[in-house]
């Protein structure tokens, strides 16, 4: 019996990407890469929506606590996004998967033209190229963006 291809969107955040000490949870990230790669190998389309860049960046920058100012949140997010992409590339690479990054902010998902462009980019990456794109909740794009932006494709 043939399985029907489905698009599966998985959202992970700080509690998934970090351990109780605030450091990157390498085991969980590797398990996530293996699981999503297996799902894609079964013929399904996979999109990974990931946040947690501020927490990962704050740890990498050795900040004593989670940043509270917009400036420090932006700095931590910039560092954390690089670290997370490095780890995603490493762990998905074990399973011969290529990762791509799509940065999003509130305007991107509220404006219909931008939303359409993002959807087409995700479809090209996830469907045509068979890549698994971590779509980031871009929290560091501008100071006016809300800090709780989500994303959905479909």
């Amino acid at each position: 019996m043939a399985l029907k291809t489905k698009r599966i969107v998985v959202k992970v955040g700080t509690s998934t990407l970090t351990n109780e000490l605030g450091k990157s949870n390498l085991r969980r990230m590797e398990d996530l890469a293996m699981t999503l790669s297996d799902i894609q190998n079964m013929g399904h389309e996979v999109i990974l929506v990931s946040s947690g860049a501020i927490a990962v960046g704050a740890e990498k920058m050795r900040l004593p606590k989670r940043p509270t100012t917009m400036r420090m949140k932006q700095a931590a997010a910039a560092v954390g996004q690089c670290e997370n992409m490095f780890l995603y590339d490493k762990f998905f690479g074990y399973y011969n998967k290529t990762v791509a990054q799509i940065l999003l902010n509130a305007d991107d998902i509220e404006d219909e033209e931008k939303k359409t462009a993002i959807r087409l980019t995700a479809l090209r990456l996830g469907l045509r190229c068979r890549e698994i794109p971590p779509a980031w909740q871009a929290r560091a794009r501008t100071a006016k963006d809300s800090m709780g932006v989500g994303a959905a494709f479909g």
Side-chain angles (χ1 to χ4, degrees), residues 18-60:
T18 60
N19 63 27
E20 58 278 350
L21 299 176
K23 299 184 182 300
S24 292
N25 191 329
L26 303 177
R27 184 181 326 225
R28 193 170 288 155
M29 290 182 80
E30 185 172 6
D31 289 347
L32 177 67
M34 179 179 62
T35 300
L36 295 182
S37 295
D38 280 345
I39 290 169
Q40 189 184 56
N41 288 343
M42 290 188 280
H44 300 293
E45 301 154 4
V46 176
I47 296 175
L48 174 60
V49 179
S50 181
S51 62
I54 293 173
V56 171
E59 166 58 29
K60 185 149 179 103

Side-chain angles (χ1 to χ4, degrees), residues 7 22 27 37 48 56 58 64 66 86-87 92-93 98 106 133 144:
R7 179 175 304 136
R27 184 181 326 225
S37 295
L48 174 60
V56 171
R66 189 177 171 102
F86 168 78
L87 293 171
F92 279 102
T98 301
K144 70 178 182 130

Side-chain angles (χ1 to χ4, degrees), residues 30 33-34 37 87-97:
E30 185 172 6
M34 179 179 62
S37 295
L87 293 171
Y88 281 133
D89 187 57
K90 175 181 177 168
F91 292 132
F92 279 102
Y94 292 158
Y95 306 100
N96 296 315
K97 303 296 179 189

